[in-house]
Amino acid sequence: MILVTGGAGYIGAHAVLALLQNGHEVLVLDNLCNSSSASLERVTRLAGRRPQFVMGDVRSRPLLDKLFAAYPIDAVMHFAGLKAVGESVREPLRYFETNVSGSVTLCQAMAHAEVFTLVFSSSATVYGESETMPISESAALGLPTNPYGHSKLMAEHVMRSVAHSDPRWAIGLLRYFNPIGAHPSGLLGEAPKNIPNNLLPYLLQVALKQLPALRIYGDDYPTPDGTGIRDYLHVVDLAEGHLMALNRLRKQPGISTWNLGTGRGYSVLEVLKAFEKVVGKTMPVCVEPRRSGDIAQCWSDPSKAREELGWESKRDLNCMLEDAWRWQCLNPNGYGADAMAV
Ligand code: NAD
Ligand code: WQD
């Protein structure tokens, strides 16, 4: 059985579905601070099978000990964490407590239960502002520009030390680039509880007139059209990457790092243009100054994941945008009251 922390969230729910569809038994631990158990109802509908669910906190050692004693858990996927960059600047301690201390507590409970296989949600943010593109795993770890980024880097350091302390550990640090998109059924997707920070969720709400206009944060970057470039990745591809990492870790103990990205960057204006084509109308936009802490460009070299995991992204930008738009139209308020009936 796989314990999936944060399994009710955006990426976690897609991973739980992929695990169930591949025959795994799944136990989700989530405190629902940024999600709803409705996502797991949708997962159940899609998989034809229900994951076990415990509402609780990954920082609680007694709870974790109980779960490891009660269920035949043999590996963990650790998604639980806080991810809003701006909020992390205002509330750094909450971010370090959840993302770093939560990871420490989880590793302690795993060691106690002698469960040593762990897949961790890291982020390309650990590279900071990389000098060369594309970014491979051997690139220097940068200086993250905010407490969220630091918390991910610190969690990586914790796991690296833990893996070096005992050869039984098999830990995969998955450095995601920019996950977007939704399940093609329109049943699972990203459901921000507040005003979105990220480009695509924001754009989706502008398209439904839930927000007035997209603010483009800077058109004076040293990029071909002046707007920031990122490596957008379909969340279903990302979920599949987790399964492949898990398979590899079963055969290869130690600590491994894999970039999960497409290897291709798109600027804000390129995403906007592609999105307008999908939606069939132009979006209201305004150009604003650069957002503090943003970098000009960031895209992956995903060849290590291809060679070692046999993983590569299959879904292109158009597919990401179409799936995200379907999700938004069917669930204008996320998993809330007037979401499509399930
Ligand atoms: P999300 O907020 O949708 O999912 C995180 C889940 O963790 C939520 O369901 C939340 O309720 C749960 N959670 C938070 N604190 C918890 C706690 N103390 N105990 C138990 N559950 C808790 O976010 P997501 O986009 O699905 O991200 C999942 C992971 O991937 C996070 O660790 C995030 O930092 C990482 N990540 C996300 C992105 C991205 O752009 N979405 C990029 C790189 C890395
Ligand atoms: C993408 C591009 C913005 C919003 C963040 C975190 C990172 C990771 C993913 C978890 C940039 C521009 C955005 C808007 C805009 N999270 N933009 N108007 O900043 O690459 O990454 O989320 O690990 O750690 O920092 O993603 O989607 O916010 O921005 O112009 O309303 O879109 O400036 O160029 P980012 P994003």
Side-chain angles (χ1 to χ4, degrees):
M1 172 177 266
I2 315 296
L3 171 64
V4 182
T5 74
Y10 170 47
I11 304 169
H14 285 86
V16 171
L17 175 60
L19 284 165
L20 291 172
Q21 287 174 330
N22 280 274
H24 293 276
E25 296 300 319
V26 178
L27 168 64
V28 171
L29 170 67
D30 199 305
N31 67 1
L32 304 183
C33 70
N34 196 38
S35 56
S36 147
S37 59
S39 64
L40 298 176
E41 294 302 322
R42 306 279 184 94
V43 165
T44 302
R45 178 172 159 187
L46 287 165
R49 232 149 51 81
R50 184 172 288 281
Q52 307 261 10
F53 172 57
V54 170
M55 183 172 164
D57 203 299
V58 74
R59 292 167 295 177
S60 167
R61 178 70 195 276
L63 173 61
L64 289 172
D65 285 346
K66 248 189 228 161
L67 296 182
F68 281 110
Y71 295 90
I73 298 164
D74 58 11
V76 179
M77 287 190 186
H78 180 35
F79 295 92
L82 303 176
K83 64 165 181 176
V85 168
E87 188 181 68
S88 79
V89 176
R90 294 189 297 276
E91 299 177 64
L93 293 175
R94 198 154 75 85
Y95 272 68
F96 290 120
E97 194 196 359
T98 300
N99 295 359
V100 185
S101 305
S103 298
V104 171
T105 304
L106 176 65
C107 288
Q108 287 171 327
M110 288 178 69
H112 183 71
E114 302 201 352
V115 174
F116 292 106
T117 304
L118 173 63
V119 178
F120 175 60
S121 299
S122 187
S123 167
T125 192
V126 300
Y127 294 115
E129 182 141 36
S130 194
E131 305 246 309
T132 48
M133 293 295 139
I135 304 174
S136 74
E137 292 83 350
S138 57
L141 293 177
L143 263 186
T145 50
N146 53 71
Y148 167 75
H150 279 291
S151 74
K152 285 286 159 184
L153 189 54
M154 288 164 77
E156 279 204 4
H157 287 316
V158 167
M159 288 171 197
R160 204 166 282 112
S161 303
V162 162
H164 289 148
S165 73
D166 184 330
R168 288 175 294 177
W169 282 98
I171 302 181
L173 306 175
L174 303 189
R175 293 181 180 154
Y176 314 160
F177 280 67
N178 286 58
I180 62 169
H183 192 268
S185 62
L187 285 170
L188 294 181
E190 188 165 12
K193 285 202 166 167
N194 301 307
I195 295 180
N197 303 299
N198 297 118
L199 176 63
L200 196 68
Y202 203 97
L203 203 42
L204 290 166
Q205 295 197 10
V206 172
L208 282 189
K209 297 193 166 43
Q210 295 166 309
L211 288 168
L214 174 70
R215 293 174 299 191
I216 296 176
Y217 294 134
D219 64 354
D220 57 351
Y221 282 105
T223 59
D225 66 21
T227 63
I229 296 179
R230 298 289 185 276
D231 183 342
Y232 298 95
L233 164 76
H234 199 299
V235 66
V236 174
D237 282 330
L238 179 59
E240 287 169 2
H242 286 71
L243 261 75
M244 292 164 114
L246 183 63
N247 289 341
R248 174 79 181 196
L249 291 172
R250 302 251 194 233
K251 295 176 231 138
Q252 177 189 303
I255 184 133
S256 308
T257 307
W258 292 294
N259 281 345
L260 295 182
T262 66
R264 164 139 205 208
Y266 288 96
S267 73
V268 175
L269 289 180
E270 285 173 323
V271 172
L272 176 65
K273 205 184 275 169
F275 183 70
E276 288 179 336
K277 230 181 195 170
V278 166
V279 176
K281 57 183 180 194
T282 53
M283 295 295 120
V285 301
C286 56
V287 175
E288 296 221 347
R290 295 179 183 190
R291 184 172 63 179
S292 156
D294 270 2
I295 55 177
Q297 52 185 12
C298 174
W299 72 90
S300 66
D301 172 354
S303 53
K304 186 165 181 271
R306 190 174 57 238
E307 284 152 22
E308 296 184 1
L309 306 180
W311 176 88
E312 62 187 338
S313 64
K314 295 187 216 123
R315 295 157 181 90
D316 64 12
L317 181 67
N318 192 52
C319 174
M320 299 177 212
L321 298 176
E322 279 183 350
D323 289 342
W325 181 230
R326 184 179 309 108
W327 154 259
Q328 188 72 15
C329 291
L330 292 171
N331 309 270
N333 296 309
Y335 295 105
D338 55 350
M340 73 199 283
V342 287

